[in-house]
Each structure stands twice: as structure tokens, then as C-alpha cells.
Amino acid sequence: MNERGLERKARVAQLLLDAARSLGETLEPDRVYDRFRDLLADVVAHDGILVSSYDEGDGLMRCDYAWSDGNRLDTSVFPPVELNREGGGMQSRVIASGESLLVNDVVRRVQQPGGTFYDVDGKGTMRKVPESGPTRTKAAMMVPIKHEGRVVGVVQVMSERQPYTREDLHLVEGLVSQLGAAVRNARLHEATQAETAARVRAEMEREQLAEAEAAARAVADEREHAAQVLEA
């Protein structure tokens, strides 16, 4: 490897180290995604980012994070998409194969049958393509998010202006591996907090019930004592 290649390898290693540190500093999934976008903006030009999770149980892909034209979007506007187990769509192909995908001819690719494709702008306006016209996206990189060897999601990075290179893809793959670990930690933290809160609520309810039962017994005892006094 020549000196230039060594320098690039060192820069990438430092970038991934910084990414791991930055992404691990927060335990809120939404903030993890925002930091991922900030890190990506420094090294790879893009006009859109979409992070989807995949549930093997129901075979659906759901949008967890979306950013387009400088704005973070409401993920509820994105409908769940069923996995094409034959790999007809681009996301489905990544999930089915477990391999990243680099596409510099998105306009042509979305015209092929077998996939479901949407185009969304910075205002959150969504349209299905190519039925409503050509997509604005010219190039895209799609990288699987993996956990214990299974694909649990996909990160899409899109450009409306320029093609992507294999070097760009390798950078995104490195960042996505850090993103996946950080999001898992954040969600585990959320689940632990929710479990702790549930235990606290249950304990408070038990204490309130015990207090109410004690108060009811006290009233009953007072009434019984008053009845005994009257009888005497």
C-alpha cells in the first residue's frame, strides 16, 4: 500500500473511532440518529437519509429515522413496506442478501418491477415512483444494520446530484456498524428505564392498596368498638 493509501486508512480509522465515541455519548435513539447524520455530513455528500428497521416476525420494514433536504421528517408518513423475499426492491435485496448495495442509476432502477419506491421532499410530501413521475434521487447507498449475524435494518444514503464511489460505501459501512451498536445500547437503556418505571409504579400501587386496606380495617374496628360500647 502506498503512502496515500496509508494516510487514507489512518483517516478512516480515526473517523470511526471518533464516531464510536460520539454516538456512544447519548442514550436517546433519536439523538443517536442525529449525530450519525452530522458525522456523515463531514465525509459523504448527501441529500437524504433513511433508516429502516426490519422485523422478521411480520416481514415488514418500518422507517425509524428520515432526513431530507435539510429537514428531519415525521416517520409516521412512511408506510410499512413488506419484504420482497425474492429481493425485487433495493431494500429487500439488502435484507435478503445481507450485503450493501451501491446504485448510481436510481432513476432507471425504480422503473423495474418487483419493488415499492417512494420519493419524499424536505416538507414530508410523499409520492410513489415512478407512477407519479421520476424520482429526484440519482444515486444511493444501502447498508444493512446487523445484530448477531441477522439483518435488523437498512440505512439508505441518497444523492440528487452526484454518484457515489466504493470508497464512499466503505465509509458508510463503517459508520453504520457504529450506529447499529449505539442504537441497540440506547434502546436497551430505554427498555431498562421503562421496566424500572413499571416496577416503581407497581410497588406504589401495592403500597396504596395496603394503605387503603389498613384504613378500611381501622374504620371497621372503630365501628365494631362503637357497637360494643352501645351494647354495654
Side-chain angles (χ1 to χ4, degrees):
M1 183 178 294
N2 57 32
E3 183 175 349
R4 183 176 180 181
L6 290 172
E7 289 179 355
R8 180 185 177 280
K9 188 174 181 179
R11 287 198 302 272
V12 171
Q14 185 62 50
L15 168 67
L16 297 181
L17 180 62
D18 292 343
R21 184 181 300 113
S22 178
L23 294 173
E25 287 176 350
T26 179
L27 290 173
E28 299 177 20
D30 287 344
R31 292 183 63 189
V32 172
Y33 289 131
D34 284 335
R35 289 195 178 187
F36 170 79
R37 200 210 71 78
D38 291 340
L39 289 165
L40 186 65
D42 291 335
V43 291
V44 176
H46 59 275
D47 299 292
I49 297 175
L50 190 70
V51 182
S52 300
S53 57
Y54 170 63
D55 186 340
E56 287 183 339
D58 58 18
L60 294 177
M61 298 171 281
R62 296 177 174 85
C63 181
D64 289 342
Y65 177 85
W67 183 94
S68 179
D69 298 333
N71 296 309
R72 183 173 174 178
L73 306 179
D74 180 3
T75 58
S76 66
V77 305
F78 294 83
V81 177
E82 185 174 359
L83 176 71
N84 183 328
R85 298 190 182 279
E86 296 179 357
M90 289 187 284
Q91 275 198 104
S92 292
R93 176 177 171 182
V94 171
I95 293 173
S97 68
E99 301 293 334
S100 300
L101 182 64
L102 171 61
V103 180
N104 282 321
D105 58 348
V106 174
V107 175
R108 183 186 65 83
R109 184 68 66 94
V110 300
Q111 294 174 351
Q112 298 176 355
T116 302
F117 305 100
Y118 295 96
D119 192 285
V120 60
D121 62 21
K123 297 180 180 179
T125 303
M126 179 178 291
R127 60 190 182 87
K128 193 172 183 179
V129 295
E131 291 86 344
S132 63
T135 178
R136 299 175 304 150
T137 301
K138 301 296 188 291
M141 293 180 286
M142 300 193 180
V143 177
I145 305 172
K146 296 183 178 181
H147 179 54
E148 297 180 346
R150 296 182 299 107
V151 177
V152 295
V154 177
V155 174
Q156 301 181 53
V157 179
M158 294 157 282
S159 173
E160 300 174 6
R161 294 163 290 180
Q162 63 190 53
Y164 287 125
T165 66
R166 282 289 166 186
E167 288 188 356
D168 293 329
L169 181 62
H170 293 157
L171 277 174
V172 174
E173 287 175 332
L175 290 173
V176 168
S177 68
Q178 303 293 346
L179 171 68
V183 170
R184 282 194 297 274
N185 288 338
R187 295 206 185 285
L188 179 60
H189 177 71
E190 278 190 340
T192 301
Q193 284 190 319
E195 183 180 347
T196 300
R199 286 201 301 266
V200 170
R201 286 195 300 270
E203 183 62 30
M204 290 178 62
E205 290 172 358
R206 284 194 294 269
E207 291 177 355
Q208 291 171 353
L209 179 60
E211 291 174 357
E213 291 175 345
R217 286 195 298 269
V219 170
D221 290 344
E222 288 180 2
R223 288 177 177 173
E224 183 179 354
H225 178 70
Q228 291 174 353
V229 170
L230 289 175
E231 289 177 0

